[in-house]
Amino acid sequence: MSDHRIPLAGVIGSPVAHSKSPVLHGHWLKRYGLEGFYIPMDVAQEDLAEVIRTLPLMGFVGVNVTIPHKESVLELADIVTDRAALIGAANTLIFRKDGKIHADNTDGYGFIENLRQGAPDWDPTVGPAAVIGAGGACRAVVASLLEVGVKEIRLSNRTRNRADILKREFGARVKVFDWVKVGNMLDGAATVVNTTSLGMVGKPEFRVPLDALSPNAVVTDLVYAPLDTAFLVKAREKGCVTVDGLGMLLHQAVPGFERWFGERPEVDDDLRNAVLAG
């Protein structure tokens, strides 16, 4: 085996053909003139362990992990970061030179960096955050909001049980609201986040009443197809600063790219346009 191997990375999921990650990482590789390739890999659940063990032998330096493998890869990793353990899922694997597999979750990092870039005056400590939905993406959002100093997180989900589970795991700063009262939890919220797929192309409309939404709130939607969701449009009409969901996808990719290819990439309009076009 030669000393010089072109670093390979990619995204593992099933399905994976829709992933924007190959365009995103491909743009950075070209922009920084780096050697390397990033490819989509559709891997079935029963083949996951074998694939993860084989990739480093083929010159892979790491992979992103998407649905349905984000939880399962934690059991295959030798080292799991605190945030990946807390969230119970990993989206970034690093294959270390010593043979160990390092699992991280950069979704929360991507979420916070997107808010900071899109709403530079955002201050997480000024008031409660209202989080709509309690699915997989929500865990990373809640963990990262608590980490940056939000004192109270109001959480509502159609099936209350999922929200109650998150409250048990994340503690007293999380307060659960019944779905019928989801509009009420926006009252006085400084940060409002939609983590559901409501409002996404092909999904049901986002029908949460926004009467109680403060014009001073920073509002963000994890949905980025369409980029400007009905929820964001309505929030802007009320005077809110809004941040679309594409930036979370772009920012969550930064730590992995830096570890795999040795360059810290920048998230800017060129990248956004490339990913939207791709």
Side-chain angles (χ1 to χ4, degrees):
M1 190 169 73
S2 70
D3 283 348
H4 180 70
R5 296 177 90 182
I6 292 174
L8 306 176
V11 56
I12 289 183
S14 188
V16 83
H18 65 285
S19 174
K20 303 260 189 203
S21 293
V23 175
L24 166 53
H25 289 273
H27 174 85
W28 280 335
L29 285 166
K30 196 169 155 194
R31 175 176 172 180
Y32 296 109
L34 300 171
E35 277 196 314
F37 294 93
Y38 185 104
I39 58 166
M41 293 173 275
D42 195 318
V43 176
Q45 191 72 43
E46 59 271 23
D47 300 326
L48 183 66
E50 193 179 353
V51 167
I52 296 284
R53 281 195 288 272
T54 307
L55 287 173
L57 310 176
M58 296 159 63
F60 277 81
V61 288
V63 286
N64 285 124
V65 183
T66 186
I67 294 165
H69 303 316
K70 291 173 88 157
E71 287 86 22
S72 329
V73 291
L74 289 182
E75 292 157 32
L76 303 170
D78 303 293
I79 299 154
V80 176
T81 63
D82 289 347
R83 59 188 179 181
L86 183 65
I87 293 161
N91 72 337
T92 306
L93 297 183
I94 296 147
F95 303 138
R96 297 183 359 163
K97 287 193 168 64
D98 62 6
K100 286 192 163 57
I101 296 171
H102 178 276
D104 193 9
N105 191 312
T106 64
D107 283 332
Y109 165 85
F111 171 74
I112 297 292
E113 289 302 307
N114 182 39
L115 272 180
R116 287 188 169 142
Q117 187 173 39
D121 297 331
W122 177 63
D123 179 356
T125 64
V126 296
V131 178
I132 301 156
C138 175
R139 301 177 68 90
V141 167
V142 169
S144 63
L145 286 171
L146 291 172
E147 196 182 341
V148 294
V150 172
K151 294 177 183 66
E152 178 188 315
I153 292 182
R154 301 167 178 179
L155 187 59
S156 188
N157 191 58
R158 265 193 248 188
T159 40
R160 178 167 173 135
N161 186 35
R162 294 184 79 162
D164 287 333
I165 289 168
L166 286 183
K167 175 176 173 57
R168 278 202 298 276
E169 290 182 27
F170 287 103
R173 282 195 283 168
V174 176
K175 306 212 168 5
V176 176
F177 282 65
D178 279 328
W179 187 247
V180 290
K181 295 190 178 143
V182 63
N184 302 5
M185 79 172 184
L186 305 183
D187 192 5
T191 310
V192 182
V193 190
N194 174 37
T195 73
T196 73
S197 60
L198 296 173
M200 192 190 230
V201 174
K203 300 280 184 188
E205 283 176 57
F206 181 90
R207 293 193 190 279
V208 173
L210 301 182
D211 312 333
L213 183 61
S214 157
N216 302 321
V218 170
V219 177
T220 186
D221 199 330
L222 268 45
V223 171
Y224 56 83
L227 201 56
D228 210 16
T229 61
F231 171 47
L232 293 181
V233 171
K234 284 181 198 148
R236 250 198 326 278
E237 284 165 2
K238 284 184 130 330
C240 300
V241 173
T242 62
V243 182
D244 69 53
L246 182 63
M248 176 172 169
L249 172 80
L250 307 180
H251 283 284
Q252 63 77 33
V254 169
F257 187 92
E258 183 178 22
R259 289 292 293 267
W260 302 328
F261 299 113
E263 176 95 32
R264 186 164 185 88
E266 219 176 304
V267 173
D268 57 15
D269 287 341
D270 272 359
L271 178 69
R272 279 179 69 93
N273 296 334
V275 170
L276 288 170

